[in-house]
Amino acid sequence: MALSYKTRRRLSLLILLLGLPGYVVVAVTIMSTIDRPPLWLELAIYIALGIVWALPFRAVFRGIGQADPDAPPEKFDDDK
């Protein structure tokens, strides 16, 4: 099912405002329950977790920074 540009834009905002902080809390909670690994391993785990959270949402975030492809083209006035 293809989502419209407006729906993807709203969904991406919701993911960034609610989903990402929630994911950070879950990741930190999980990391705090295990014994502290060496610094390099802990850094690698956090980097991997930082990449992994976004993979399922690639389709939602793709093209959000661009102009709306479904919007009618703007008309420019040359009489300025």
Side-chain angles (χ1 to χ4, degrees):
M1 180 172 92
L3 298 173
S4 71
Y5 176 79
K6 188 179 268 188
T7 303
R8 286 187 303 122
R9 193 169 169 140
R10 289 178 181 161
L11 187 58
S12 66
L13 183 63
L14 182 71
I15 290 168
L16 288 176
L17 290 178
L18 298 178
L20 184 57
Y23 184 78
V24 168
V25 168
V26 169
V28 170
T29 303
I30 290 171
M31 288 299 294
S32 69
T33 60
I34 60 175
D35 291 334
R36 186 156 187 176
L39 183 62
W40 63 270
L41 181 60
E42 187 176 3
L43 181 64
I45 291 171
Y46 278 121
I47 289 172
L49 288 173
I51 293 170
V52 168
W53 81 268
L55 291 178
F57 304 119
R58 280 182 21 203
V60 174
F61 290 120
R62 184 168 287 137
I64 292 300
Q66 306 295 322
D68 186 357
D70 300 329
E74 293 183 20
K75 295 182 181 180
F76 294 103
D77 241 353
D78 291 345
D79 297 334
K80 291 184 180 179

